[in-house]
Amino acid sequence: MRTTYYDDDDILVIRLSDKPIAREVSQDWNTHVSYAADGTAVEVVVLDARASGALPVEVAHGRAA
């Protein structure tokens, strides 16, 4: 998983997989989800991320048992 934030445009991109994107769906005006051919989510894009409350992102780090 890779997360990229474009500060100049206030866009958050969360890449979940390296699979090729087969289709894209807009959940609403600022959230877009891309899917692979097998139906798994590949990427989530949030426009106006900071303005809509998607940032700051809290990252919790755990340890394997």
Side-chain angles (χ1 to χ4, degrees):
M1 184 174 97
R2 182 178 62 237
T3 303
T4 306
Y5 177 67
Y6 298 96
D7 192 39
D8 292 342
D9 298 317
D10 194 19
I11 297 173
L12 177 64
V13 179
I14 303 169
R15 185 74 180 196
L16 304 169
S17 168
D18 288 329
K19 294 178 183 178
I21 294 172
R23 92 184 150 98
E24 297 178 359
V25 177
S26 293
Q27 299 297 316
D28 51 30
W29 72 270
N30 71 329
T31 306
H32 310 281
V33 181
S34 300
Y35 296 94
D38 64 2
T40 59
V42 174
E43 185 176 78
V44 178
V45 177
V46 180
L47 306 176
D48 287 343
R50 187 173 301 278
S52 65
L55 284 175
V57 175
E58 181 178 332
V59 177
H61 297 279
R63 292 186 174 213

